Amino acid sequence: MIVKDKKQKAATGLRQQAGDRQEQDVAFYLRRAFKDDDRVRVFHDLQLCYDGEYAQIDHLIVYTFGFIVIESKSIKGEVRVNAQAEWSRSYRQQWQGMPSPVKQAELQLRILQDVLTNNDSKMIGKILGIIQQGLGGRKYHMLCAISSDSIIDRSNAPKEVAAKLVKTEFIADAVKDLMRLPKYLPNVLRVYDSRPDFSSEELDSICNFLLAEHLRLRPDEQELVHLAKSQPKSSMRESDIHTMDARIVTGK
């Protein structure tokens, strides 16, 4: 399910245009893979703030067992990651250093975790499962989606870093590997999976809270938001729909 779309930006420079295209490509693959899966909620361009620190998350997956942050990176030419996890890339046949997008995504993931774990009461209400298990113990992962036309030399990279680097066309497969979603079976039949899971109502509550946090910072992006829901609007009273829409904006 797509909860928040990516905003079309008026990119001016060539680098900004390439970055926007990369994010659009990742959004395309995620939409194709998860738009009809109620267990998976997808955000694009989500902005959060905690304790004065801001995170602009390119793509966020909220799913039955946790959260996955995806950093999109447009890179032309060849990229190398050394044993110290330092990045460099070739530009006009010359090598130069570059910031690590993995480190950037790790910072975003930390802010996301801080926002969630320090605001339990604003999103969980009387949902017993989250109260008992907490949000801090859920799964938190990150991936870095790199342009499909780049060449990545990860032969010397630490294994934990190399595993997070994914070409754009493989991003949905990488997300599925991390999520390890079971087939639609009752919990009692998932004998070998002890991970605490979110119900549809809990996913709705978390997504509505994140949307309210984003809209508090970017109120102009209301038109990009889709109502997080566990049932179709057609089966709800009109007054209930207006109430839920208001909760997204106000965070109440």
Side-chain angles (χ1 to χ4, degrees):
M1 178 186 298
I2 307 301
V3 179
K4 180 186 174 295
D5 284 323
K6 174 175 169 51
K7 185 174 184 178
Q8 297 290 338
K9 302 175 183 177
T12 54
L14 292 177
R15 180 172 294 185
Q16 189 177 1
Q17 290 175 6
D20 189 60
R21 282 196 301 271
Q22 168 65 7
E23 291 182 24
Q24 292 286 2
D25 288 345
V26 174
F28 166 78
Y29 285 107
L30 294 178
R31 184 182 304 110
R32 189 169 69 175
F34 304 118
K35 65 182 177 65
D36 296 320
D37 195 333
D38 188 55
R39 300 172 298 172
V40 182
R41 313 295 175 89
V42 182
F43 293 77
H44 303 297
D45 282 344
L46 180 69
Q47 187 169 346
L48 299 173
C49 179
Y50 180 76
D51 196 25
E53 292 189 69
Y54 289 84
Q56 182 72 36
I57 300 175
D58 290 339
H59 316 277
L60 172 66
I61 307 293
V62 182
Y63 69 106
T64 304
F65 302 110
F67 310 88
I68 303 172
V69 166
I70 302 173
E71 170 71 10
S72 287
K73 201 66 179 177
S74 174
I75 300 176
K76 299 295 183 182
E78 188 175 355
V79 180
R80 292 175 183 169
V81 185
N82 66 19
Q84 288 73 42
E86 298 167 336
W87 287 58
S88 59
R89 64 171 152 189
S90 62
Y91 180 71
R92 295 181 178 177
Q93 299 181 340
Q94 292 187 345
W95 285 92
Q96 59 185 20
M98 63 173 287
S100 167
V102 171
K103 278 297 180 184
Q104 183 178 352
E106 288 175 350
L107 291 173
Q108 295 169 355
L109 187 64
R110 179 178 57 78
I111 293 174
L112 170 69
Q113 192 166 8
D114 286 341
V115 168
L116 292 172
T117 57
N118 287 281
N119 289 280
D120 283 0
S121 61
K122 294 182 181 179
M123 72 187 84
I124 63 177
K126 296 181 180 179
I127 298 176
L128 183 60
I130 298 181
I131 292 175
Q132 289 180 330
Q133 299 160 350
L135 287 171
R138 301 302 170 122
K139 299 295 183 181
Y140 289 84
H141 296 287
M142 56 76 52
L143 293 169
C144 181
I146 300 177
S147 312
S148 296
D149 56 356
S150 65
I151 301 173
I152 309 173
D153 182 357
R154 63 188 102 190
S155 56
N156 295 316
K159 290 183 179 180
E160 63 274 14
V161 173
K164 295 178 174 66
L165 309 182
V166 183
K167 288 290 192 74
T168 302
E169 68 267 31
F170 299 111
I171 191 62
D173 294 331
V175 168
K176 290 177 182 178
D177 288 343
L178 285 177
M179 292 191 299
R180 294 189 294 113
L181 289 178
K183 294 182 179 179
Y184 285 93
L185 294 174
N187 288 345
V188 293
L189 298 181
R190 292 196 278 110
V191 180
Y192 302 106
D193 195 341
S194 60
R195 293 175 293 172
D197 59 347
F198 296 127
S199 67
S200 291
E201 291 77 13
E202 290 167 341
L203 285 174
D204 289 349
S205 182
I206 293 168
C207 289
N208 283 330
F209 170 77
L210 292 173
L211 286 172
E213 287 295 292
H214 174 84
L215 291 175
R216 183 172 59 84
L217 300 169
R218 298 299 305 270
D220 57 306
E221 295 191 358
Q222 173 68 49
E223 74 279 1
L224 302 174
V225 166
H226 302 283
L227 179 63
K229 57 187 182 298
S230 56
Q231 55 181 320
K233 284 190 176 182
S234 58
S235 67
M236 302 170 63
R237 298 193 309 272
E238 185 175 353
S239 60
D240 291 336
I241 295 172
H242 292 323
T243 300
M244 293 182 71
D245 285 334
R247 286 176 181 171
I248 290 178
V249 177
T250 63
K252 297 181 180 177

